Amino acid sequence: LLRYTEAVAWFERFLKESGAEAGARRIVENRLRVLRNLKARVHVDCVPQGSTVMLIDPDGVVEEGRTPHVFKVTAGRYTLRLVREGYLPQERRIVTDIGQPYFYQFTLETQQEMLTVRPNPAAARVFLDQKLVGAGFYAGRLPVGKHTLAVEYGRHEPYATVFVLRPGHRLEYDIVLK
């Protein structure tokens, strides 16, 4: 029935309460040793795949892999930590039991930073990644990474640039069109 923890408890009770002969005792002790060493299987998957997953035990020992990944661990308490550049990290505390399978699915959220654009003339159109986001002042959060910015107004010479938003760094542009 895959109820290994209960089996261990019953075998321990048998050893404690019975006057079993040495042969039966040795068999039960061997089965107990095997059961106690059965590993739990912790399957971890994540969107996006290929994210780094760490399994941390109470002593701080870390086992690491890339999603999708399967950890084989003894019963106990652990912390699952998922990280990937450009995404917010996630953590979850888990408890595993003897020989049991566990499945965890995560979806990491993209990390965002603040972008501010102040064009002159004030009515200039602002485009981010080829999409019109407004006329005049723009302030908003964008996913970290590479983006394009364009500013246009009537007969003024347009402005265009490629920029990279980095985690922990906001960007501000004061743009005067010629």
Side-chain angles (χ1 to χ4, degrees), residues 118-133:
R118 289 181 286 274
N120 186 354
R125 295 179 302 166
V126 178
F127 296 85
L128 286 170
D129 300 324
Q130 287 109 24
K131 291 182 182 177
L132 178 64
V133 293

Side-chain angles (χ1 to χ4, degrees), residues 29 37 50 53 61 95 136:
E29 287 170 344
N37 289 320
V53 58
V61 175
V95 177

Side-chain angles (χ1 to χ4, degrees), residues 29-104:
E29 287 170 344
N30 286 337
R31 287 186 180 164
L32 265 172
R33 185 173 46 259
V34 168
L35 284 172
R36 287 183 179 132
N37 289 320
L38 279 177
K39 304 285 187 182
R41 291 167 315 286
V42 180
H43 300 258
V44 183
D45 205 352
C46 180
V47 174
Q49 285 193 342
S51 299
T52 300
V53 58
M54 293 170 266
L55 186 80
I56 305 160
D57 72 11
D59 297 326
V61 175
V62 176
E63 185 181 338
E64 191 174 298
R66 296 264 183 213
T67 59
H69 189 76
V70 178
F71 295 101
K72 293 180 181 173
V73 298
T74 57
R77 296 179 182 276
Y78 299 91
T79 300
L80 280 175
R81 181 179 298 148
L82 283 101
V83 295
R84 185 174 181 125
E85 188 174 333
Y87 293 84
L88 297 172
Q90 284 194 29
E91 251 186 34
R92 181 178 297 163
R93 297 195 192 291
I94 64 169
V95 177
T96 62
D97 205 354
I98 298 172
Q100 298 301 309
Y102 299 90
F103 300 91
Y104 295 96

Side-chain angles (χ1 to χ4, degrees), residues 121-178:
R125 295 179 302 166
V126 178
F127 296 85
L128 286 170
D129 300 324
Q130 287 109 24
K131 291 182 182 177
L132 178 64
V133 293
F137 178 82
Y138 171 82
R141 298 182 69 76
L142 295 174
V144 296
K146 190 175 181 180
H147 297 277
T148 60
L149 168 65
V151 180
E152 301 174 351
Y153 184 74
R155 295 182 181 239
H156 291 75
E157 187 178 315
Y159 173 88
T161 189
V162 175
F163 64 94
V164 177
L165 270 177
R166 295 196 182 344
H169 296 87
R170 65 180 294 151
L171 277 179
E172 295 187 20
Y173 284 94
D174 290 305
I175 299 167
V176 178
L177 297 178
K178 298 178 184 177

Side-chain angles (χ1 to χ4, degrees), residues 14-25:
F14 172 81
L15 289 175
K16 183 179 176 184
E17 295 179 4
S18 77
E21 63 191 58
R25 186 169 199 79

